[in-house]
Amino acid sequence: MNRLQIVTSSVRNFWIDNLWFDVVIVVGVLGVHAALILWNPLFDILGSAAPTDRRAVYASAAIVVSLLGSFSAVAIGQLSSAKGARAEALRGHGAESLARNWRSIFRVGMLSALLALLALLLDPSAGSVSAVPVVVRWLFEAGLVLAITKFLRLSALFYEVITLASSSTADDENALAEAPVVDENWHKRVA
């Protein structure tokens, strides 16, 4: 294992073990985006879009983010079907951590979809001077960035589960079969 793989693995393990770090990522991304908008208003992509285009983005995001749950179900299915000592150890010792991670992915997917639907309802289709469309856009963006972060978390978990399932299968294939037990009374059996 080279140094880059060790660092990458350490970062991934830290991130998987600390759910709170997702909020740090979201705040950082939103902060950078806000600074870019202050520097050059062209970076306000949703703000410069036509209201009907924003509403289309909100509706599309609600649909796409809701798929996060189905991807999570695939990862859970992979772990459930994994066999071998490693899979059993992960299910025994890592079950609580995995459950917290997958629960947070499901919840954020639902929250982000709800924020997108709320933005769809509150952002008027005609131009509005009030602060509501601006607040709605930032809430939508926060929900979207959080959903993307959770999707990346899901990808990291999925990588771990697939690696585990693959190595557990390889371990099972390399294991020797148990020796057959000879029945001393085999010749007395009736055919």
Side-chain angles (χ1 to χ4, degrees), residues 73-156:
V74 170
I76 293 169
Q78 286 291 325
L79 178 61
S80 298
S81 67
K83 297 189 181 353
R86 292 179 189 181
E88 289 302 321
L90 179 62
R91 283 192 286 266
H93 298 294
E96 183 180 335
S97 176
L98 286 171
R100 283 185 322 107
N101 272 282
W102 276 315
R103 189 172 49 243
S104 77
I105 292 166
F106 276 127
R107 287 178 177 170
V108 164
M110 178 59 81
L111 175 66
S112 297
L114 289 175
L115 284 173
L117 292 174
L118 183 68
L120 182 62
L121 292 173
L122 295 179
D123 194 348
S125 57
S128 176
V129 189
S130 72
V132 171
V134 175
V135 171
V136 164
R137 285 195 311 263
W138 283 100
L139 283 175
F140 168 76
E141 186 174 343
L144 187 62
V145 171
L146 188 57
I148 291 168
T149 304
K150 291 297 182 180
F151 180 78
L152 294 174
R153 175 181 289 279
L154 177 61
S155 297

Side-chain angles (χ1 to χ4, degrees), residues 3-190:
R3 186 154 175 77
L4 179 61
Q5 289 174 327
I6 292 170
V7 170
T8 304
S9 179
S10 297
V11 168
R12 185 174 56 242
N13 290 341
F14 171 80
W15 183 40
I16 288 173
D17 292 340
N18 296 291
L19 291 173
W20 58 266
F21 198 70
D22 294 348
V23 176
V24 173
I25 293 170
V26 170
V27 169
V29 169
L30 292 180
V32 168
H33 189 219
L36 286 171
I37 290 172
L38 288 174
W39 178 64
N40 187 346
L42 290 176
F43 285 102
D44 190 7
I45 297 169
L46 280 176
S48 60
T52 54
D53 292 338
R54 279 197 309 267
R55 293 173 57 80
V57 168
Y58 299 150
S60 299
I63 294 168
V64 170
V65 166
S66 65
L67 293 174
L68 189 60
S70 62
F71 292 139
S72 184
V74 170
I76 293 169
Q78 286 291 325
L79 178 61
S80 298
S81 67
K83 297 189 181 353
R86 292 179 189 181
E88 289 302 321
L90 179 62
R91 283 192 286 266
H93 298 294
E96 183 180 335
S97 176
L98 286 171
R100 283 185 322 107
N101 272 282
W102 276 315
R103 189 172 49 243
S104 77
I105 292 166
F106 276 127
R107 287 178 177 170
V108 164
M110 178 59 81
L111 175 66
S112 297
L114 289 175
L115 284 173
L117 292 174
L118 183 68
L120 182 62
L121 292 173
L122 295 179
D123 194 348
S125 57
S128 176
V129 189
S130 72
V132 171
V134 175
V135 171
V136 164
R137 285 195 311 263
W138 283 100
L139 283 175
F140 168 76
E141 186 174 343
L144 187 62
V145 171
L146 188 57
I148 291 168
T149 304
K150 291 297 182 180
F151 180 78
L152 294 174
R153 175 181 289 279
L154 177 61
S155 297
L157 288 170
F158 195 66
Y159 172 80
E160 297 294 332
V161 168
I162 290 297
T163 302
L164 173 84
S166 299
S167 61
S168 291
T169 303
D171 288 348
D172 290 344
E173 290 172 356
N174 292 332
L176 296 175
E178 292 186 24
V181 178
V182 178
D183 183 6
E184 294 176 13
N185 298 318
W186 66 271
H187 62 288
K188 296 179 183 177
R189 284 193 213 168
V190 177

